Amino acid sequence: MYYSKSGKEDLSEGWGEKKLLADIQKQSGRYDLKAVEINSPFSDFGTSYLNKEKVMYASAKDTGVIIKRKHSWNDKSFLKLYTADVTVDGGLQNPALLKGEVNTRYHQSTPAITKDGKTMFFTRNNYIEGKLGVDKNGTTFLKIYVAENVNGEWKNVKELGYPLNGDGFSSAHPALSPDETELYFVSDRNNKFGNSDLYKVSLKKGGFIGNDITRLDDEINTLGRETYPFMDASGILYFSSDGHPGLGGLDVFAAIKDESGKYHVVNVGDGVNTNSDDFAYTFKDDIKKGYVSSNRSGNDDIYGFTENKPIDFNFNIKPLVFGTLRYTTGEPIEGIVVEVYNAKNEKINTVYSDKEGKYSADLLPFTDYKLAYKKAGLTEKEQIAPPFKPAEKREYSFDFINEMEVIVNNEKVAIHEGDDLTDKLKLNPIYFDYNGYKIRESSKTELDKIVEVMKVRPVISIKINSHTDSRGKDDFNMKLSQNRAKSTMDYIVSHGIEKERVSAEGFGETRLINKCSNGVKCSEAEHQKNRRSEFIIQLNKK
């Protein structure tokens, strides 16, 4: 009836027991799993990494409450947050009550901590000024709160505002996107069936949320319960559900969008999933270890796991950068080296263009990259690549010219060793303050043209020659030209050119190019020809 009224596709059609088992079997055998040491006779669940050495989790061990996992939004369980140390093999030990103002006499659980460890989002009963908030029917709802880490203690606890939280519905179980620009959570708002769905909202620094709350697509949300979201560093969204086909109770599922923006959802397989409730999945991609909570033993416990092979979505979930590299004539270029650098400027991959000039490289999502394109005899190029979304495909294609050519006024101009780039690039004069050596703003645009030529042509170095006219004392003019040459060199080096590729010399009035020497009457235009900067091309030895 729901699907007929809403006009939405019933995604359960064609599940069938045979297909269900085959799909789950495809993902099975991927985990080694065992219970952790800190489990108590009471409820322990909802693990989240605080850093590489510590996790945070919820437990009822100090209050002696065994929670029956029915996911009641009116659950008045007395859970508190604890930390535990991560052992080398992924176990947990040395539990300790969380320091600060987060724990109250009521219910706290499911923390999500920012990468810098300064901000935590967590679930709590509607707790107002030391009292448990209830509506007119006596119902206590769950809300999401935010706290700050102040010298190792969690303080300044605040309730997130409307529309994320409200007094007529519950919101719980926060999770952060890898780039921390979105907060995922669970809510029973607008749910006529009384079950919970997954939502997301934009997130700003300092724990401030936007007003753009969005219910996730129907590939994710079903008529059943969707809960406990978590997103790993590669952008895979994990969640628990009893509405998707599974082994029984709550199962853990993984979802990611394809290039068209549609979610693909798969059961993560056995080991993690059983015929009991399995939930609160968390995972660190770099070490392939994580934790999941389950009541398979009859009580909520935490299990550590190692992932032996990645989940299979039947398509490449890694972002792809690609393109075609050609000469300006349109002819493809084979053998251009494409170097991939991370945000630390570390080279992490190298690929080459093929006979058709095409190249491609797999990347990681939510990561800054720089691409460098190089081949002997050609100009070099760099491309800053802002973070990719999972499964995103992005094209960077370029045309290349010979490194001993420049484009001036849309025409190719050949350059050679010994040429003056002032003439080749048709630069305007480089002006300085009167009788000084500070470069004027109007001349910086001209020097930037020199910088751009050199950046993509590492084979080229330049020698800067600075000249004055004959007016003024000879020794003053010599010193002035030397200072101007050095100022010009410093500007070029400060804009990204290696110091070894730039030299400078001042000649004062010793190299006049016309008759206007001392005592010779000349026009201002004639004197101007002697006040010049030269940028002489020198080729580096290979």
PDB file of all heavy atoms in Angstrom, residues 133-162:
ATOM      1  N   GLY A 133      13.516  15.632  30.038  1.00  0.00           N
ATOM      2  CA  GLY A 133      12.402  16.293  29.363  1.00  0.00           C
ATOM      3  C   GLY A 133      11.393  15.291  28.834  1.00  0.00           C
ATOM      4  O   GLY A 133      11.751  14.244  28.295  1.00  0.00           O
ATOM      5  N   VAL A 134      10.122  15.592  29.010  1.00  0.00           N
ATOM      6  CA  VAL A 134       9.052  14.724  28.498  1.00  0.00           C
ATOM      7  C   VAL A 134       8.002  15.590  27.820  1.00  0.00           C
ATOM      8  O   VAL A 134       7.854  16.780  28.107  1.00  0.00           O
ATOM      9  CB  VAL A 134       8.390  13.895  29.632  1.00  0.00           C
ATOM     10  CG1 VAL A 134       9.390  12.941  30.255  1.00  0.00           C
ATOM     11  CG2 VAL A 134       7.810  14.824  30.696  1.00  0.00           C
ATOM     12  N   ASP A 135       7.257  14.968  26.872  1.00  0.00           N
ATOM     13  CA  ASP A 135       6.155  15.706  26.266  1.00  0.00           C
ATOM     14  C   ASP A 135       4.885  15.475  27.089  1.00  0.00           C
ATOM     15  O   ASP A 135       4.904  14.846  28.156  1.00  0.00           O
ATOM     16  CB  ASP A 135       5.976  15.316  24.797  1.00  0.00           C
ATOM     17  CG  ASP A 135       5.499  13.878  24.615  1.00  0.00           C
ATOM     18  OD1 ASP A 135       5.216  13.201  25.632  1.00  0.00           O
ATOM     19  OD2 ASP A 135       5.394  13.428  23.459  1.00  0.00           O
ATOM     20  N   LYS A 136       3.757  15.951  26.590  1.00  0.00           N
ATOM     21  CA  LYS A 136       2.501  15.860  27.350  1.00  0.00           C
ATOM     22  C   LYS A 136       2.044  14.431  27.556  1.00  0.00           C
ATOM     23  O   LYS A 136       1.229  14.149  28.442  1.00  0.00           O
ATOM     24  CB  LYS A 136       1.419  16.671  26.650  1.00  0.00           C
ATOM     25  CG  LYS A 136       1.083  16.176  25.247  1.00  0.00           C
ATOM     26  CD  LYS A 136       0.041  17.074  24.591  1.00  0.00           C
ATOM     27  CE  LYS A 136      -0.308  16.583  23.190  1.00  0.00           C
ATOM     28  NZ  LYS A 136      -1.317  17.466  22.548  1.00  0.00           N
ATOM     29  N   ASN A 137       2.570  13.496  26.746  1.00  0.00           N
ATOM     30  CA  ASN A 137       2.208  12.087  26.894  1.00  0.00           C
ATOM     31  C   ASN A 137       3.215  11.324  27.745  1.00  0.00           C
ATOM     32  O   ASN A 137       3.130  10.108  27.879  1.00  0.00           O
ATOM     33  CB  ASN A 137       2.089  11.423  25.527  1.00  0.00           C
ATOM     34  CG  ASN A 137       0.990  12.047  24.686  1.00  0.00           C
ATOM     35  OD1 ASN A 137      -0.109  12.334  25.190  1.00  0.00           O
ATOM     36  ND2 ASN A 137       1.270  12.255  23.410  1.00  0.00           N
ATOM     37  N   GLY A 138       4.204  12.046  28.266  1.00  0.00           N
ATOM     38  CA  GLY A 138       5.207  11.404  29.089  1.00  0.00           C
ATOM     39  C   GLY A 138       6.328  10.752  28.305  1.00  0.00           C
ATOM     40  O   GLY A 138       7.134  10.007  28.861  1.00  0.00           O
ATOM     41  N   THR A 139       6.393  11.021  26.999  1.00  0.00           N
ATOM     42  CA  THR A 139       7.424  10.416  26.145  1.00  0.00           C
ATOM     43  C   THR A 139       8.706  11.247  26.194  1.00  0.00           C
ATOM     44  O   THR A 139       8.672  12.474  26.066  1.00  0.00           O
ATOM     45  CB  THR A 139       6.941  10.322  24.693  1.00  0.00           C
ATOM     46  OG1 THR A 139       5.754   9.532  24.647  1.00  0.00           O
ATOM     47  CG2 THR A 139       8.012   9.697  23.812  1.00  0.00           C
ATOM     48  N   THR A 140       9.829  10.565  26.371  1.00  0.00           N
ATOM     49  CA  THR A 140      11.137  11.215  26.317  1.00  0.00           C
ATOM     50  C   THR A 140      11.783  10.891  24.978  1.00  0.00           C
ATOM     51  O   THR A 140      11.935   9.719  24.618  1.00  0.00           O
ATOM     52  CB  THR A 140      12.045  10.711  27.453  1.00  0.00           C
ATOM     53  OG1 THR A 140      11.441  11.036  28.699  1.00  0.00           O
ATOM     54  CG2 THR A 140      13.416  11.360  27.366  1.00  0.00           C
ATOM     55  N   PHE A 141      12.151  11.921  24.265  1.00  0.00           N
ATOM     56  CA  PHE A 141      12.759  11.718  22.947  1.00  0.00           C
ATOM     57  C   PHE A 141      14.277  11.792  23.030  1.00  0.00           C
ATOM     58  O   PHE A 141      14.840  12.342  23.986  1.00  0.00           O
ATOM     59  CB  PHE A 141      12.231  12.771  21.968  1.00  0.00           C
ATOM     60  CG  PHE A 141      10.758  12.645  21.687  1.00  0.00           C
ATOM     61  CD1 PHE A 141       9.842  13.488  22.300  1.00  0.00           C
ATOM     62  CD2 PHE A 141      10.289  11.667  20.825  1.00  0.00           C
ATOM     63  CE1 PHE A 141       8.488  13.375  22.048  1.00  0.00           C
ATOM     64  CE2 PHE A 141       8.939  11.534  20.564  1.00  0.00           C
ATOM     65  CZ  PHE A 141       8.028  12.383  21.181  1.00  0.00           C
ATOM     66  N   LEU A 142      14.913  11.227  22.025  1.00  0.00           N
ATOM     67  CA  LEU A 142      16.362  11.303  21.905  1.00  0.00           C
ATOM     68  C   LEU A 142      16.750  12.519  21.073  1.00  0.00           C
ATOM     69  O   LEU A 142      16.068  12.871  20.114  1.00  0.00           O
ATOM     70  CB  LEU A 142      16.915  10.036  21.251  1.00  0.00           C
ATOM     71  CG  LEU A 142      16.667   8.726  22.006  1.00  0.00           C
ATOM     72  CD1 LEU A 142      17.223   7.559  21.191  1.00  0.00           C
ATOM     73  CD2 LEU A 142      17.308   8.772  23.379  1.00  0.00           C
ATOM     74  N   LYS A 143      17.863  13.144  21.453  1.00  0.00           N
ATOM     75  CA  LYS A 143      18.368  14.298  20.723  1.00  0.00           C
ATOM     76  C   LYS A 143      19.872  14.167  20.524  1.00  0.00           C
ATOM     77  O   LYS A 143      20.535  13.385  21.209  1.00  0.00           O
ATOM     78  CB  LYS A 143      18.039  15.592  21.464  1.00  0.00           C
ATOM     79  CG  LYS A 143      16.537  15.917  21.499  1.00  0.00           C
ATOM     80  CD  LYS A 143      16.275  17.281  22.121  1.00  0.00           C
ATOM     81  CE  LYS A 143      14.781  17.614  22.041  1.00  0.00           C
ATOM     82  NZ  LYS A 143      14.487  18.967  22.597  1.00  0.00           N
ATOM     83  N   ILE A 144      20.384  14.949  19.596  1.00  0.00           N
ATOM     84  CA  ILE A 144      21.822  14.956  19.319  1.00  0.00           C
ATOM     85  C   ILE A 144      22.417  16.218  19.926  1.00  0.00           C
ATOM     86  O   ILE A 144      21.902  17.325  19.741  1.00  0.00           O
ATOM     87  CB  ILE A 144      22.102  14.889  17.811  1.00  0.00           C
ATOM     88  CG1 ILE A 144      21.575  13.562  17.241  1.00  0.00           C
ATOM     89  CG2 ILE A 144      23.599  15.013  17.530  1.00  0.00           C
ATOM     90  CD1 ILE A 144      21.694  13.448  15.741  1.00  0.00           C
ATOM     91  N   TYR A 145      23.509  16.035  20.645  1.00  0.00           N
ATOM     92  CA  TYR A 145      24.201  17.124  21.325  1.00  0.00           C
ATOM     93  C   TYR A 145      25.627  17.236  20.771  1.00  0.00           C
ATOM     94  O   TYR A 145      26.148  16.311  20.137  1.00  0.00           O
ATOM     95  CB  TYR A 145      24.253  16.871  22.828  1.00  0.00           C
ATOM     96  CG  TYR A 145      22.903  16.947  23.511  1.00  0.00           C
ATOM     97  CD1 TYR A 145      21.965  15.927  23.360  1.00  0.00           C
ATOM     98  CD2 TYR A 145      22.559  18.039  24.301  1.00  0.00           C
ATOM     99  CE1 TYR A 145      20.721  15.990  23.981  1.00  0.00           C
ATOM    100  CE2 TYR A 145      21.316  18.109  24.930  1.00  0.00           C
ATOM    101  CZ  TYR A 145      20.407  17.084  24.761  1.00  0.00           C
ATOM    102  OH  TYR A 145      19.176  17.152  25.370  1.00  0.00           O
ATOM    103  N   VAL A 146      26.267  18.363  21.075  1.00  0.00           N
ATOM    104  CA  VAL A 146      27.645  18.581  20.670  1.00  0.00           C
ATOM    105  C   VAL A 146      28.435  19.035  21.887  1.00  0.00           C
ATOM    106  O   VAL A 146      27.908  19.752  22.752  1.00  0.00           O
ATOM    107  CB  VAL A 146      27.749  19.622  19.526  1.00  0.00           C
ATOM    108  CG1 VAL A 146      27.231  20.980  19.962  1.00  0.00           C
ATOM    109  CG2 VAL A 146      29.170  19.729  19.003  1.00  0.00           C
ATOM    110  N   ALA A 147      29.692  18.588  22.006  1.00  0.00           N
ATOM    111  CA  ALA A 147      30.558  18.961  23.124  1.00  0.00           C
ATOM    112  C   ALA A 147      31.948  19.306  22.586  1.00  0.00           C
ATOM    113  O   ALA A 147      32.354  18.851  21.514  1.00  0.00           O
ATOM    114  CB  ALA A 147      30.645  17.829  24.140  1.00  0.00           C
ATOM    115  N   GLU A 148      32.682  20.110  23.354  1.00  0.00           N
ATOM    116  CA  GLU A 148      34.038  20.520  22.974  1.00  0.00           C
ATOM    117  C   GLU A 148      35.052  19.867  23.902  1.00  0.00           C
ATOM    118  O   GLU A 148      34.820  19.715  25.100  1.00  0.00           O
ATOM    119  CB  GLU A 148      34.182  22.040  23.071  1.00  0.00           C
ATOM    120  CG  GLU A 148      33.284  22.820  22.141  1.00  0.00           C
ATOM    121  CD  GLU A 148      33.431  24.317  22.346  1.00  0.00           C
ATOM    122  OE1 GLU A 148      34.535  24.768  22.725  1.00  0.00           O
ATOM    123  OE2 GLU A 148      32.439  25.039  22.170  1.00  0.00           O
ATOM    124  N   ASN A 149      36.196  19.499  23.326  1.00  0.00           N
ATOM    125  CA  ASN A 149      37.298  18.951  24.111  1.00  0.00           C
ATOM    126  C   ASN A 149      38.135  20.109  24.644  1.00  0.00           C
ATOM    127  O   ASN A 149      38.796  20.809  23.882  1.00  0.00           O
ATOM    128  CB  ASN A 149      38.149  18.024  23.247  1.00  0.00           C
ATOM    129  CG  ASN A 149      39.158  17.229  24.052  1.00  0.00           C
ATOM    130  OD1 ASN A 149      39.625  17.673  25.103  1.00  0.00           O
ATOM    131  ND2 ASN A 149      39.505  16.052  23.566  1.00  0.00           N
ATOM    132  N   VAL A 150      38.105  20.304  25.952  1.00  0.00           N
ATOM    133  CA  VAL A 150      38.857  21.384  26.595  1.00  0.00           C
ATOM    134  C   VAL A 150      39.882  20.752  27.530  1.00  0.00           C
ATOM    135  O   VAL A 150      39.536  20.219  28.590  1.00  0.00           O
ATOM    136  CB  VAL A 150      37.929  22.334  27.381  1.00  0.00           C
ATOM    137  CG1 VAL A 150      38.746  23.458  28.024  1.00  0.00           C
ATOM    138  CG2 VAL A 150      36.845  22.901  26.475  1.00  0.00           C
ATOM    139  N   ASN A 151      41.150  20.748  27.077  1.00  0.00           N
ATOM    140  CA  ASN A 151      42.247  20.180  27.885  1.00  0.00           C
ATOM    141  C   ASN A 151      41.952  18.753  28.334  1.00  0.00           C
ATOM    142  O   ASN A 151      42.186  18.377  29.492  1.00  0.00           O
ATOM    143  CB  ASN A 151      42.519  21.066  29.100  1.00  0.00           C
ATOM    144  CG  ASN A 151      42.961  22.460  28.718  1.00  0.00           C
ATOM    145  OD1 ASN A 151      43.709  22.645  27.744  1.00  0.00           O
ATOM    146  ND2 ASN A 151      42.516  23.459  29.459  1.00  0.00           N
ATOM    147  N   GLY A 152      41.417  17.955  27.385  1.00  0.00           N
ATOM    148  CA  GLY A 152      41.193  16.536  27.661  1.00  0.00           C
ATOM    149  C   GLY A 152      39.869  16.204  28.299  1.00  0.00           C
ATOM    150  O   GLY A 152      39.588  15.028  28.563  1.00  0.00           O
ATOM    151  N   GLU A 153      39.036  17.224  28.581  1.00  0.00           N
ATOM    152  CA  GLU A 153      37.716  16.973  29.155  1.00  0.00           C
ATOM    153  C   GLU A 153      36.650  17.531  28.224  1.00  0.00           C
ATOM    154  O   GLU A 153      36.822  18.593  27.625  1.00  0.00           O
ATOM    155  CB  GLU A 153      37.593  17.609  30.543  1.00  0.00           C
ATOM    156  CG  GLU A 153      38.514  16.990  31.575  1.00  0.00           C
ATOM    157  CD  GLU A 153      38.191  17.450  32.989  1.00  0.00           C
ATOM    158  OE1 GLU A 153      37.179  18.159  33.165  1.00  0.00           O
ATOM    159  OE2 GLU A 153      38.934  17.078  33.919  1.00  0.00           O
ATOM    160  N   TRP A 154      35.530  16.811  28.130  1.00  0.00           N
ATOM    161  CA  TRP A 154      34.453  17.219  27.218  1.00  0.00           C
ATOM    162  C   TRP A 154      33.497  18.151  27.949  1.00  0.00           C
ATOM    163  O   TRP A 154      32.816  17.752  28.901  1.00  0.00           O
ATOM    164  CB  TRP A 154      33.729  15.983  26.684  1.00  0.00           C
ATOM    165  CG  TRP A 154      34.619  15.181  25.780  1.00  0.00           C
ATOM    166  CD1 TRP A 154      35.349  14.078  26.117  1.00  0.00           C
ATOM    167  CD2 TRP A 154      34.904  15.461  24.414  1.00  0.00           C
ATOM    168  NE1 TRP A 154      36.067  13.639  25.034  1.00  0.00           N
ATOM    169  CE2 TRP A 154      35.820  14.469  23.973  1.00  0.00           C
ATOM    170  CE3 TRP A 154      34.491  16.425  23.512  1.00  0.00           C
ATOM    171  CZ2 TRP A 154      36.312  14.422  22.673  1.00  0.00           C
ATOM    172  CZ3 TRP A 154      34.981  16.395  22.216  1.00  0.00           C
ATOM    173  CH2 TRP A 154      35.875  15.405  21.810  1.00  0.00           C
ATOM    174  N   LYS A 155      33.444  19.397  27.454  1.00  0.00           N
ATOM    175  CA  LYS A 155      32.663  20.432  28.122  1.00  0.00           C
ATOM    176  C   LYS A 155      31.828  21.209  27.106  1.00  0.00           C
ATOM    177  O   LYS A 155      31.809  20.887  25.923  1.00  0.00           O
ATOM    178  CB  LYS A 155      33.598  21.372  28.879  1.00  0.00           C
ATOM    179  CG  LYS A 155      34.392  20.682  29.995  1.00  0.00           C
ATOM    180  CD  LYS A 155      35.230  21.678  30.765  1.00  0.00           C
ATOM    181  CE  LYS A 155      35.943  21.007  31.929  1.00  0.00           C
ATOM    182  NZ  LYS A 155      36.741  21.981  32.728  1.00  0.00           N
ATOM    183  N   ASN A 156      31.167  22.243  27.605  1.00  0.00           N
ATOM    184  CA  ASN A 156      30.354  23.139  26.771  1.00  0.00           C
ATOM    185  C   ASN A 156      29.333  22.350  25.943  1.00  0.00           C
ATOM    186  O   ASN A 156      29.221  22.513  24.723  1.00  0.00           O
ATOM    187  CB  ASN A 156      31.242  23.985  25.846  1.00  0.00           C
ATOM    188  CG  ASN A 156      32.268  24.789  26.618  1.00  0.00           C
ATOM    189  OD1 ASN A 156      31.991  25.249  27.735  1.00  0.00           O
ATOM    190  ND2 ASN A 156      33.444  24.956  26.049  1.00  0.00           N
ATOM    191  N   VAL A 157      28.618  21.475  26.613  1.00  0.00           N
ATOM    192  CA  VAL A 157      27.628  20.623  25.945  1.00  0.00           C
ATOM    193  C   VAL A 157      26.429  21.465  25.512  1.00  0.00           C
ATOM    194  O   VAL A 157      25.876  22.224  26.307  1.00  0.00           O
ATOM    195  CB  VAL A 157      27.175  19.488  26.878  1.00  0.00           C
ATOM    196  CG1 VAL A 157      26.103  18.641  26.199  1.00  0.00           C
ATOM    197  CG2 VAL A 157      28.373  18.623  27.272  1.00  0.00           C
ATOM    198  N   LYS A 158      26.058  21.316  24.235  1.00  0.00           N
ATOM    199  CA  LYS A 158      24.911  22.060  23.706  1.00  0.00           C
ATOM    200  C   LYS A 158      24.032  21.131  22.868  1.00  0.00           C
ATOM    201  O   LYS A 158      24.541  20.241  22.181  1.00  0.00           O
ATOM    202  CB  LYS A 158      25.381  23.227  22.830  1.00  0.00           C
ATOM    203  CG  LYS A 158      26.197  24.271  23.575  1.00  0.00           C
ATOM    204  CD  LYS A 158      26.685  25.353  22.620  1.00  0.00           C
ATOM    205  CE  LYS A 158      27.570  26.355  23.355  1.00  0.00           C
ATOM    206  NZ  LYS A 158      28.097  27.398  22.422  1.00  0.00           N
ATOM    207  N   GLU A 159      22.749  21.365  22.940  1.00  0.00           N
ATOM    208  CA  GLU A 159      21.808  20.646  22.081  1.00  0.00           C
ATOM    209  C   GLU A 159      21.827  21.274  20.694  1.00  0.00           C
ATOM    210  O   GLU A 159      21.792  22.500  20.556  1.00  0.00           O
ATOM    211  CB  GLU A 159      20.401  20.736  22.673  1.00  0.00           C
ATOM    212  CG  GLU A 159      19.316  20.102  21.803  1.00  0.00           C
ATOM    213  CD  GLU A 159      17.915  20.382  22.331  1.00  0.00           C
ATOM    214  OE1 GLU A 159      17.754  20.425  23.571  1.00  0.00           O
ATOM    215  OE2 GLU A 159      17.000  20.572  21.509  1.00  0.00           O
ATOM    216  N   LEU A 160      21.926  20.450  19.654  1.00  0.00           N
ATOM    217  CA  LEU A 160      21.822  20.973  18.305  1.00  0.00           C
ATOM    218  C   LEU A 160      20.412  21.505  18.076  1.00  0.00           C
ATOM    219  O   LEU A 160      19.442  20.942  18.586  1.00  0.00           O
ATOM    220  CB  LEU A 160      22.157  19.903  17.276  1.00  0.00           C
ATOM    221  CG  LEU A 160      23.614  19.407  17.266  1.00  0.00           C
ATOM    222  CD1 LEU A 160      23.816  18.391  16.145  1.00  0.00           C
ATOM    223  CD2 LEU A 160      24.595  20.552  17.117  1.00  0.00           C
ATOM    224  N   GLY A 161      20.304  22.560  17.282  1.00  0.00           N
ATOM    225  CA  GLY A 161      19.031  23.255  17.157  1.00  0.00           C
ATOM    226  C   GLY A 161      18.052  22.595  16.193  1.00  0.00           C
ATOM    227  O   GLY A 161      18.343  21.605  15.522  1.00  0.00           O
ATOM    228  N   TYR A 162      16.897  23.210  16.136  1.00  0.00           N
ATOM    229  CA  TYR A 162      15.872  22.822  15.171  1.00  0.00           C
ATOM    230  C   TYR A 162      16.351  23.272  13.782  1.00  0.00           C
ATOM    231  O   TYR A 162      16.994  24.304  13.667  1.00  0.00           O
ATOM    232  CB  TYR A 162      14.552  23.509  15.533  1.00  0.00           C
ATOM    233  CG  TYR A 162      13.385  23.096  14.674  1.00  0.00           C
ATOM    234  CD1 TYR A 162      12.647  21.962  14.991  1.00  0.00           C
ATOM    235  CD2 TYR A 162      13.043  23.834  13.558  1.00  0.00           C
ATOM    236  CE1 TYR A 162      11.573  21.576  14.196  1.00  0.00           C
ATOM    237  CE2 TYR A 162      11.983  23.461  12.762  1.00  0.00           C
ATOM    238  CZ  TYR A 162      11.244  22.332  13.078  1.00  0.00           C
ATOM    239  OH  TYR A 162      10.190  21.948  12.290  1.00  0.00           O
TER     240      TYR A 162
END
